[in-house]
Amino acid sequence: MGMGKVVVMDHPLIKHKITILRKKETSCKDFREIIGEVASLMCYEATRDLELEPIDIETPICECTGYQLSGKKLAVVPILRAGLGMVEGILAMIPAARVGHIGLYRDEKTFEPVEYFCKLPKDVSVRQVFVVDPMLATGGSAVAAIDKLKEHGCKNVRFLCTIAAPEGIEVLQKAHPDVDIYVGVIDEKLNENAYIVPGLGDAGDRIFGTK
Ligand code: PRP
Ligand code: URA
């Protein structure tokens, strides 16, 4: 099987906003707002090829044929906690989407993801699923979340993240070659604590003001 696509965002608004996210002096309030804006813009790019079906409608002037998204409503699945910061921004673009939640934290010593919560929308297996998390570092969390979705029968999964390390992309592509990855920017590397360099620090802490 071929590898999934890796689509790196080239939109100037996204680059501008990610730079604000990186700055250490950006406040919790601004960080939260801007991570949502980036999610909206990324969602726009990641939905370019969604399937449409024709629909006959009437305007105040006459009958005509328009288009609507085909199939079941899309599902957005944030990886808790930091993925929550992207949900509103995605729903601003796709207000009828369903939302599932997968709770994972990285063990501080092993960096391995530990699952603590999973609640998915009805019929998730037949929906287009967007898994969202601001950070793809070792790739452990993304792989575990998508493993879980596949256990539930999901076949149509995309992964959206704001900043990725090359290591994480490689790990995710190997584990889930069918999953397309939409990434704001690919950074240089991971440091000894498995943080992305230059990155933006701990996304969950910056969104929620913990630590
Ligand atoms: C962060 C981030 C990802 C994960 C990425 O979450 O939001 O989920 O780390 O790292 P990985 O690619 O090496 O798995 P964290 O575990 O810090 O939990 P939090 O979102 O609750 O803060
Ligand atoms: N999780 C984060 O929030 N930031 C990183 O740099 C790596 C993992």
Side-chain angles (χ1 to χ4, degrees), residues 79-82 104-106 133-141 202 204:
I79 302 178
L80 308 183
R81 293 174 300 164
L104 296 172
Y105 68 86
R106 290 202 316 181
D133 192 328
M135 309 304 274
L136 179 65
T138 65
S141 303
D202 189 300

Side-chain angles (χ1 to χ4, degrees), residues 111-130:
F111 313 129
E112 287 291 318
V114 182
E115 186 186 318
Y116 60 88
F117 189 77
C118 179
K119 184 85 182 168
L120 298 172
K122 190 162 144 284
D123 303 325
V124 72
S125 66
V126 293
R127 297 178 192 274
Q128 166 77 62
V129 181
F130 281 10

Side-chain angles (χ1 to χ4, degrees), residues 2-21:
M3 282 286 172
K5 284 189 289 188
V6 178
V7 182
V8 183
M9 302 293 121
D10 59 1
H11 200 291
L13 289 176
I14 298 180
K15 291 185 193 234
H16 179 96
K17 287 174 196 291
I18 289 178
T19 303
I20 301 174
L21 293 176

